[in-house]
Amino acid sequence: MNTADLGLPVDVPSTALFTDQYELTMLQAALKAGTAERRSVFEVFTRRLPDGRRYGVVAGTGRVLDAVENFRFDADVLGFLRERQIVDEETLKWLADYRFGGDVWGYPEGEVYFPGSPIVRVEGTFAECVLLETVILSILNHDSAIAAAASRMASAAGDRPLIEMGARRTHELAAVAAARAAYVGGFATTSDLAAGFRYGIPTVGTSAHAFTLLHDRERDAFQAQVDTLGRGTTLLVDTYDVAEAVRTAVEVAGPELGAVRIDSGDLLLVAHRVRQQLDELGATNTKIVVTSDLDEYAIASLAAAPVDAYGVGTQLVTGSGHPTASMVYKLVARAETADPKAPLMPVAKKSSGGKTSLGGRKWAARRLDEDGVAEAEVVGTGAVPAELADRQLLVELIKGGDVVAREPLDVPRDRHTAARANLPLSAIQLSRGEPVIPTEYVQGRSGS
């Protein structure tokens, strides 16, 4: 079952209160001023990548689509707003009928992005668009940060599979979203059953140190696990003495033992010793899984070790030092009247401190060199140059309020693999660096 196709709500009946209060007070003021129905364009972008990162990864798009569909002000929500006197009765009446009826375009999930990339473009009336700011940013900032960390880890791991196992290191609902984002970024499995249930991600898990400590002897614990889960199971061998545990594991399961897991110590040294011992015991096909607070740098340091899979928790679900993608949601164009046919005019914040933005509805395209490798992210307003017409990045996600781009999770996962492969080779370097390709701006008329 892949529930990503079903458009299920995100753990609550309504997403309408996943918002900041000022979005509702702006709505009330705009309704009174007669400007709420002005056609508007909002865009999600980031002014910079996290320090040292060379590309970003778009993740959470599917969850955004679910959240927009379920952005409804039901009786309980309206009652809360009325009780707290957050908005007046006229605004409450307007909210009771709220349904987003506009259009959303965006980079497809799994695509890479760079500073200034118009990752999502939301078009409709000011009133219907402004309410979505916080929920969209909440999802994209979290999921894109996790996916970027996952992508770096996947690059470091090469062909060796990665297991997401960070549920106990973050909020219980964030854990589900993190597992989804990690899968988009290149992880193969998750330990989180809620993520498996909701998104169809393959799940794995065997035992912890507590299971070994429960039994009188390590051999008894191994025997119980093998009797229950079969010889192909993974036995945890670092509760006491690793060498003795490996010997016992092979004695209990035989050379058909699926894998051993190492969760502590000098992983490089221990992995080599365990591999040698397994081979000497005839368990040449038994795999070695390593865990223990790994990040992309630790994974890269184990590239020469006889390791078959990595389990990653804390560093993954915290974005490996960068828990947010620092995306913003800004009004970039609006009409001067409420007439649906009124032309759009570009608008932009102009202030000091590095928070300026470029006005106008944007398009984006990725220019390739003669070898088909990306060489620039081109962002512009107005007409798209003919040479970039078939390289445009934004796709339609919601049309007239209806989701038109929901897809199974394997699609963005494969898309990310392809997108990363089309970047210059320096993209996968873990050393600190600037974005792997520059962002170029082409300004024209913003269009209507």
Side-chain angles (χ1 to χ4, degrees):
M1 178 179 68
N2 191 336
T3 58
D5 292 325
L6 303 181
L8 298 178
V10 286
D11 304 303
V12 291
S14 168
T15 55
L17 292 184
F18 290 170
T19 189
D20 288 307
Q21 182 167 322
Y22 80 167
E23 290 163 12
L24 297 186
T25 55
M26 283 191 288
L27 169 65
Q28 177 174 305
L31 288 170
K32 288 187 177 299
T35 54
E37 298 303 313
R38 289 186 176 184
R39 193 158 59 105
S40 300
V41 180
F42 286 81
E43 289 177 352
V44 175
F45 62 94
T46 184
R47 296 183 176 93
R48 63 190 67 84
L49 297 179
D51 189 30
R53 296 286 173 89
R54 297 170 183 260
Y55 62 91
V57 181
V58 178
T61 307
R63 296 208 306 123
V64 166
L65 300 181
D66 290 346
V68 172
E69 278 193 330
N70 291 283
F71 203 91
R72 305 283 188 268
F73 292 84
D74 58 26
D76 289 340
V77 170
L78 293 170
F80 165 78
L81 298 176
R82 179 177 289 109
E83 178 184 352
R84 296 290 183 93
Q85 298 183 340
I86 291 172
V87 292
D88 61 19
E89 286 297 325
E90 179 184 350
T91 306
L92 289 171
K93 183 178 179 181
W94 189 93
L95 290 173
D97 295 325
Y98 178 83
R99 301 289 186 274
F100 178 73
D103 301 329
V104 177
W105 291 72
Y107 280 38
E109 189 161 19
E111 184 57 84
V112 296
Y113 69 86
F114 299 91
S117 296
I119 296 163
V120 173
R121 189 176 74 214
V122 182
E123 304 186 30
T125 66
F126 176 84
E128 64 183 338
C129 296
V130 73
L131 295 180
L132 300 177
E133 174 183 0
T134 298
V135 70
I136 288 177
L137 289 179
S138 293
I139 293 170
L140 293 180
N141 269 315
H142 174 269
D143 290 22
S144 296
I146 305 304
S151 178
R152 286 163 59 86
M153 293 174 188
S155 293
D159 295 331
R160 299 171 179 177
L162 290 158
I163 306 163
E164 186 281 315
M165 47 194 303
R168 64 192 62 191
R169 298 292 188 252
T170 187
H171 185 280
E172 67 272 18
L173 299 183
V176 181
R180 183 188 183 281
Y183 190 71
V184 170
F187 274 58
T189 54
T190 179
S191 65
D192 192 285
L193 291 177
F197 173 76
R198 175 157 172 72
Y199 296 115
I201 302 170
T203 58
V204 295
T206 51
S207 67
H209 292 103
F211 186 74
T212 301
L213 295 169
L214 169 68
H215 293 80
D216 296 334
R217 299 185 304 163
E218 191 170 44
R219 177 182 295 272
D220 296 337
F222 289 173
Q223 189 66 62
Q225 185 173 327
V226 170
D227 288 346
T228 303
L229 301 178
R231 297 177 186 274
T233 191
T234 299
L235 296 177
L236 181 59
V237 296
D238 72 328
T239 306
Y240 305 118
D241 179 83
V242 173
E244 181 61 29
V246 170
R247 184 178 305 107
T248 301
V250 176
E251 288 176 358
V252 169
E256 298 85 7
L257 174 62
V260 295
R261 178 162 75 94
I262 306 167
D263 189 50
S264 59
D266 183 337
L267 296 179
L268 179 62
L269 176 61
V270 175
H272 277 288
R273 288 177 175 174
V274 169
R275 180 74 270 160
Q276 181 179 353
Q277 186 180 9
L278 287 170
D279 291 345
E280 290 173 350
L281 293 170
T284 56
N285 292 321
T286 298
K287 299 184 182 302
I288 297 175
V289 180
V290 296
T291 52
S292 187
D293 206 25
L294 300 176
D295 61 10
E296 59 265 48
Y297 301 101
I299 292 169
S301 72
L302 293 169
V307 171
D308 298 286
Y310 306 92
V312 189
T314 302
Q315 293 301 318
L316 174 68
V317 299
T318 57
S320 195
H322 297 288
T324 178
S326 299
M327 295 178 187
V328 294
Y329 183 96
K330 297 298 181 183
L331 180 68
V332 297
R334 53 89 172 171
E336 292 185 320
T337 71
D339 183 347
K341 297 182 179 179
L344 292 171
M345 58 179 294
V347 294
K349 177 180 178 180
K350 298 185 184 299
S351 64
S352 60
K355 286 192 173 184
T356 58
S357 57
L358 179 65
R361 178 205 276 140
K362 317 290 191 310
W363 51 262
R366 191 160 298 143
R367 191 172 68 237
L368 307 181
D369 64 17
E370 59 186 12
D371 296 318
V373 178
E375 65 177 9
E377 191 87 338
V378 185
V379 176
T381 58
V384 180
E387 66 273 17
L388 296 175
D390 62 348
R391 299 299 308 166
Q392 293 189 71
L393 293 164
L394 278 76
V395 299
E396 196 165 29
L397 302 173
I398 296 177
K399 182 176 183 179
D402 295 325
V403 173
V404 295
R406 188 170 278 113
E407 55 191 10
L409 198 55
D410 281 333
V411 175
R413 186 173 190 268
D414 292 342
R415 180 182 292 125
H416 176 63
T417 300
R420 190 176 61 204
N422 284 335
L423 295 176
L425 285 176
S426 57
I428 63 173
Q429 291 179 345
L430 297 181
S431 58
R432 301 171 69 84
E434 296 300 314
V436 70
I437 60 174
T439 302
E440 300 177 359
Y441 294 97
V442 178
Q443 287 188 269
R445 298 180 62 187
S446 63
S448 60

